[in-house]
Amino acid sequence: FRKRKDMKINMYEPIDEMYVFADRNALVRVLNNIIKNAIQAIPTEREGLIEIKLYKKGKRAIIRISDNGVGIPKTRREKVFLPNFTTKTSGTGLGLAICANMVEAFNGRLYFESTEHIGTDFYLEIPLMHVNDNFIQQERVVL
């Protein structure tokens, strides 16, 4: 995504690594979907700005993906994670519904905050792994 010339994509991450129990492929798929949606939400006449920030909050890793797109109208916000809901002219409307299910599968949470005409922040909350945990049931992913 960083090779795009029509927008800036900035990533902020802490110095210390964070470990979570999550499926690496599922996490990459979720991030790709949310970043693609963020890019598509930015009008062509506006220079795009996507910010990705990883930080720790209590016992959870938080990934925030922010865009300066058109925002999500209040009338559509409750439908964003429903299957077959889309605001685009193409696509199935399954992307965010599948993403929410994947994040929930590793005991995480996917949610957003949006301001019309200003942009949207999507948040992925994933429980942190205790480094000394002995019961590894899923692949350990370093964020």
Side-chain angles (χ1 to χ4, degrees), residues 1 5 18 20 35 49 52 54 65 127:
F1 295 112
K5 296 184 185 204
M18 292 182 221
V20 298
I35 294 168
L49 176 62
I52 304 162
L54 170 64
I65 298 111

Side-chain angles (χ1 to χ4, degrees), residues 86-91:
T86 184
T87 59
K88 303 174 197 173
T89 56
S90 64

